[in-house]
Amino acid sequence: MSTTPAAAEFKRDATTLTKDLRHRSLIRTALKKYEIARDSKKALFQDWQSARQTAAEIKWDAINHLDTHLADFARNLEARGTRVHWASNAEQAREIILTIVREKKASAIVKSKVMTGEEIHLNEALEKEGFEVVESDLGEFIVQLRKEPPYHFVFPAMHLTRGQISETFAKELGSAPTDSPEELTMIARRVLRGKYVTADIGISGANFGIAETGMISITENEGNARLTCALPKVHIALMGIEKILPKFEDLALFLPMLGTAGAGQTLTGYNSMYGGPRQPGETDGPEEFHVVLLDNKRTTLMADPEQRDALHCMRCGACLNVCPIYKNVGGHTYGTTYQGPIGSVITPHLRGLQQWKHLSFASSLCGGCTQACPVKIDLHHHLLQSRRNAIAQRPVWWEKIAFRALSYLFNHAGLFSLGMKLGRIGQIFHPLVKATRIDPAHAWTQSRELPKVAPETFREWWQHRK
Amino acid sequence: MNDERENILGRIREALRLPAPVPGAHERQSAHPVSEREAAVHIPEWLPSVGVTFEERIALFQKNAAELKAQFVLLDGAEQLASQLREIAAAEGWKKVATHANELAECAANSLGLPVVRTDSGYDVHELESCDAGISTCEALVAQTGSVLVTSKSSGGRALSILPPHHVVIARREQLIADLPAAFALIKAKYGPENYPSLISFITGPSRTGDIERILVLGAHGPKKLTILCV
């Protein structure tokens, strides 16, 4: 496989982190807690498997008729005073938001969790023009202070210990060191309270967009999105076009599935639907509500019918949480906005197959992700399809020769049994070169044992049996 | 940006010219073509079960609330409600509360004998932020999840139920509904299709976070306490 810079970085970081036992145990402890909670909440469903099938069918309908649903969504939002903007790519989305922010002469912007914002590097664009942007989700706030990208698109600061967080707060906010998660949370609460009250603009994401009623739905635990959408005079929501659900009541299924699969909660703390700016007769809420719809290559993924169901994703993170690769290489190693199996499937479509094909090979194909997915995305088969597509687009000459040789060997019984004999002799001498540069199995034997060649092949055993 | 709208919709239509396999096809399970709305009919049968009688449902709500670390108190009439509220106010040393125009909520708030901020006709954010409690009514209580359903129209706007550190919900027994599908049906029947409140929110327990080592902390940004008084 030819190596791209992204692939080289992935390999380098993965090699370092898989050896970091402290990191691995931190992630494992966190995900074990998640697993226990998820299983207990999943068990409350009368029929989780049927719920998955229904969710998959509703999302199938949404995506395969997206043109009509999206037009309905925009029309219904506009009918109640919301400005809907359409952005084909990251640059257009940034420009739309910057124009609104400039027009309002905003001095402070408060932001609740927006993964599409990470995707289009919104914070950098706003800060470059001198606007102050504060992340209000606690995990996002912590990684923003550390100038790191989120480690996990649901649990952004999962890789940090309370000690590290306390150090960051002490350095950036001047707070006294503490090892109590509660005190650390209260420090952030005090800092951010001031921001909500003074911010001119609130920026949020959207977990779902309801076509029928023209609403966005936001799921969160902390109440930071509720405050972001309540106090500032202008609310901007940035949303991927695939987030659409056709009907209002579809949320009755999707909200508990998102809560259960995402964090092991039957329902997440706050699930809020916003259908416009402050309406006549209402006492508060923003004067302006803008919804920015982002394509950014989602239609490219859509054009591949085989993998179109990857657009069903509601970003619950369940596939990351069960992934043996994610658990060992960690979230930052991916170098993508969306990590884990779903990230490995969609990133090649969003950012280029040849540049990101290595992610499809970073999988054990165990299928844990596919089983965990609440909307039944066929994740591990998509990884296989991406491997196939990448090779078909740009074949690797030496792999071709190797497979041809292997096929010749397997088709000639005499040659095959000679090979087996040579292997048996060869392994006697293997310890001399094991794990060194001239070891043909070098990549494997660095950290693993090579399985022993059996003293007798099956054919031999069959011939000699009594 | 209107042309981008056409560009995006055009790309979607172009992409959809090739049909996608139906959901579940890879599991060889009920791989039937999806007919418009058949899928959604059975949602109540898949979700967590809820009892049929009022007693079962109130017991389920109570159990869910306890697990979520919300206080739930079942009371008899306005008298008990007022005295219960006075008890909480005294125990927590409230100095100022916020509420909105509603017979039950206002009556209870007034009985405290404390300064009351009303959010109905414009209010000062700093004033609301300095209140010890926000007292509001709700649209419904959802037994299935232990959630309080509020809207900007039923609960004094967007901020009253999220800004003060203690949110007190006053509900009536008949507001208890079974499950999430019932909650969406209720909102649709009451406000749809043209008068939806600009905010509809399911509040499930007090504000919480697990962002530090997945350890639960209450009161991340919103209320540290949620009390539901049901008469």
Side-chain angles (χ1 to χ4, degrees):
Chain A
M1 194 169 60
S2 54
T3 310
T4 61
E9 267 174 46
F10 181 91
K11 209 167 172 182
R12 187 196 63 209
D13 293 350
T15 312
T16 325
L17 273 179
T18 42
K19 287 180 193 156
D20 185 342
L21 296 182
R22 192 198 63 88
H23 170 263
R24 270 163 61 172
S25 89
L26 193 66
I27 301 308
R28 231 163 260 192
T29 314
L31 289 178
K32 192 75 209 166
K33 281 186 195 170
Y34 156 83
E35 216 172 276
I36 292 165
R38 179 205 59 196
D39 286 346
S40 78
K41 297 304 180 200
K42 228 166 91 173
L44 292 178
F45 274 69
Q46 295 176 73
D47 190 340
W48 175 258
Q49 292 309 330
S50 297
R52 287 177 75 215
Q53 180 66 22
T54 304
E57 288 177 14
I58 293 174
K59 260 322 239 187
W60 189 94
D61 169 37
I63 295 298
N64 286 282
H65 304 101
L66 190 63
D67 49 343
T68 23
H69 292 313
L70 210 52
D72 286 349
F73 175 68
R75 197 186 49 246
N76 289 326
L77 271 169
E78 281 161 347
R80 303 197 323 131
T82 303
R83 288 276 317 274
V84 179
H85 309 261
W86 303 72
S88 283
N89 54 42
E91 197 193 336
Q92 286 175 6
R94 284 194 301 263
E95 202 42 48
I96 290 166
I97 295 171
L98 278 168
T99 308
I100 302 168
V101 173
R102 281 187 212 119
E103 199 183 293
K104 301 292 158 205
K105 300 191 176 62
S107 62
I109 302 166
V110 66
K111 209 161 146 250
S112 66
K113 197 181 174 69
V114 196
M115 286 314 296
T116 38
E118 304 287 339
E119 191 182 319
I120 67 165
H121 303 288
L122 181 59
N123 285 4
E124 289 89 326
L126 288 164
E127 278 161 5
K128 218 173 114 191
E129 294 217 6
F131 299 107
E132 190 204 352
V133 194
V134 183
E135 293 287 351
S136 59
D137 172 88
L138 179 60
E140 293 278 346
F141 178 68
I142 294 166
V143 296
Q144 188 192 27
L145 286 179
R146 295 174 62 91
K147 299 181 179 63
E148 281 178 15
Y151 181 89
H152 182 296
F153 57 71
V154 178
F155 315 128
M158 192 172 107
H159 61 304
L160 299 170
T161 61
R162 57 187 93 178
Q164 289 171 297
I165 295 166
S166 169
E167 266 172 44
T168 303
F169 281 7
K171 194 170 146 232
E172 303 293 332
L173 308 171
S175 60
T178 168
D179 65 354
S180 144
E182 185 152 6
E183 274 177 45
L184 288 167
T185 306
M186 291 311 133
I187 292 168
R189 181 186 168 103
R190 278 195 294 277
V191 172
L192 287 163
R193 276 264 148 170
K195 305 287 180 189
Y196 296 118
V197 178
T198 52
D200 315 282
I201 293 186
I203 300 181
S204 79
N207 294 87
F208 303 102
I210 310 300
E212 180 193 28
T213 54
M215 292 175 190
I216 61 159
S217 175
I218 302 179
T219 295
E220 49 144 357
N221 267 311
E222 299 178 2
N224 59 312
R226 282 279 314 269
L227 286 163
T228 301
C229 305
L231 303 179
K233 285 198 161 49
V234 179
H235 173 196
I236 305 171
L238 177 61
M239 171 182 145
I241 52 171
E242 84 284 15
K243 294 278 163 186
I244 291 289
L245 285 178
K247 297 271 184 188
F248 187 48
E249 52 268 28
D250 292 339
L251 288 171
L253 179 66
F254 280 85
L255 298 180
M257 289 194 86
L258 176 59
T260 302
Q265 297 171 282
T266 301
L267 214 51
T268 319
Y270 299 94
N271 284 284
S272 314
M273 289 114 248
Y274 296 93
R278 179 205 292 207
Q279 297 295 298
E282 289 186 347
T283 168
D284 57 5
E287 289 159 11
E288 284 180 30
F289 180 33
H290 299 263
V291 172
V292 183
L293 291 167
L294 178 69
D295 177 352
N296 210 20
K297 295 272 172 73
R298 282 161 176 79
T299 45
T300 310
L301 169 53
M302 187 179 260
D304 179 357
E306 200 174 40
Q307 297 193 27
R308 188 178 295 155
D309 69 354
L311 291 168
H312 296 186
C313 177
M314 51 175 166
R315 307 279 185 264
C316 68
C319 60
L320 284 66
N321 300 342
V322 299
C323 179
I325 307 301
Y326 182 87
K327 284 182 195 173
N328 285 301
V329 307
H332 286 152
T333 301
Y334 288 83
T336 55
T337 310
Y338 307 104
Q339 310 84 7
I342 186 65
S344 301
V345 169
I346 63 175
T347 308
H349 292 274
L350 304 182
R351 292 168 70 179
L353 178 60
Q354 293 305 327
Q355 186 70 15
W356 296 94
K357 64 183 176 190
H358 60 281
L359 295 179
S360 353
F361 292 88
S363 165
S364 62
L365 298 176
C366 68
C369 46
T370 306
Q371 272 186 357
C373 178
V375 290
K376 287 197 172 180
I377 302 170
D378 194 5
L379 287 158
H380 70 294
H381 286 113
H382 293 339
L383 292 173
L384 272 174
Q385 290 150 5
S386 291
R387 293 183 190 185
R388 179 203 61 202
N389 296 348
I391 297 297
Q393 205 180 63
R394 199 177 292 175
V396 182
W397 64 269
W398 63 264
E399 276 184 1
K400 254 184 160 172
I401 295 173
F403 277 109
R404 217 168 279 163
L406 213 57
S407 133
Y408 189 82
L409 186 71
F410 284 165
N411 277 305
H412 295 79
L415 214 54
F416 183 78
S417 70
L418 179 68
M420 296 303 286
K421 286 200 180 83
L422 286 175
R424 233 172 291 158
I425 296 162
Q427 79 171 358
I428 300 171
F429 301 101
H430 185 239
L432 296 173
V433 295
K434 193 174 155 195
T436 63
R437 290 212 150 267
I438 51 166
D439 181 358
H442 170 255
W444 179 268
T445 51
Q446 267 176 9
S447 57
R448 281 161 292 213
E449 282 300 321
L450 213 54
K452 291 237 175 312
V453 181
E456 196 179 28
T457 65
F458 176 75
R459 276 163 180 274
E460 287 163 348
W461 172 81
W462 185 260
Q463 275 158 11
H464 299 146
R465 81 190 198 286
K466 300 241 164 65
Chain B
M1 285 296 155
N2 255 342
D3 46 346
E4 287 312 320
R5 175 196 148 101
E6 284 321 304
N7 287 340
I8 291 173
L9 290 176
R11 283 197 297 272
I12 293 172
R13 283 184 202 117
E14 183 62 34
L16 290 178
R17 282 166 60 171
L18 290 170
V22 291
H26 62 280
E27 292 178 352
R28 290 182 193 79
Q29 192 201 29
S30 65
H32 58 83
V34 180
S35 72
E36 285 304 314
R37 297 309 305 167
E38 260 176 45
V41 177
H42 299 286
I43 291 174
E45 297 161 38
W46 316 143
L47 297 180
S49 65
V50 187
V52 278
T53 65
F54 175 79
E55 283 70 28
E56 282 173 289
R57 289 175 182 177
I58 205 96
L60 179 61
F61 187 89
Q62 209 150 11
K63 179 177 152 279
N64 283 329
E67 201 180 307
L68 292 162
K69 301 196 164 35
Q71 305 299 317
F72 175 72
V73 193
L74 205 54
L75 299 159
D76 276 322
E79 283 287 291
Q80 269 199 18
L81 171 65
S83 73
Q84 179 73 31
L85 203 59
R86 276 196 299 274
E87 247 173 64
I88 302 171
E92 293 188 3
W94 291 353
K95 291 186 181 62
K96 188 164 61 171
V97 298
T99 189
H100 63 107
N102 174 280
E103 207 187 320
L104 215 49
E106 265 193 314
C107 190
N110 288 339
S111 77
L112 292 173
L114 293 172
V116 178
V117 175
R118 280 184 181 72
T119 60
D120 306 282
S121 49
Y123 58 90
D124 180 59
V125 175
H126 299 275
E127 183 85 17
L128 181 62
E129 213 262 325
S130 64
C131 287
D132 298 298
I135 302 169
S136 84
T137 53
C138 64
E139 298 279 359
L141 303 178
V142 187
Q144 189 169 51
T145 56
S147 310
V148 179
L149 175 58
V150 300
T151 63
S152 42
K153 289 189 177 158
S154 73
S155 306
R158 293 193 186 192
L160 177 62
S161 55
I162 195 75
L163 196 57
H166 191 158
H167 179 205
V168 180
V169 179
I170 297 177
R172 283 173 286 105
R173 277 177 164 76
E174 56 270 28
Q175 286 184 305
L176 181 77
I177 57 172
D179 54 10
L180 289 168
F184 285 96
L186 179 138
I187 293 294
K188 214 169 185 176
K190 187 169 173 185
Y191 299 109
E194 276 167 2
N195 291 308
Y196 287 109
S198 71
L199 163 75
I200 301 163
S201 187
F202 291 88
I203 299 176
T204 311
S207 159
R208 59 191 57 224
T209 185
D211 272 349
I212 302 174
E213 296 187 17
R214 311 287 321 126
I215 293 165
L216 177 71
V217 178
L218 298 182
H221 296 285
K224 296 174 188 176
K225 288 186 178 171
L226 175 67
T227 302
I228 302 147
L229 305 177
C230 186
V231 292

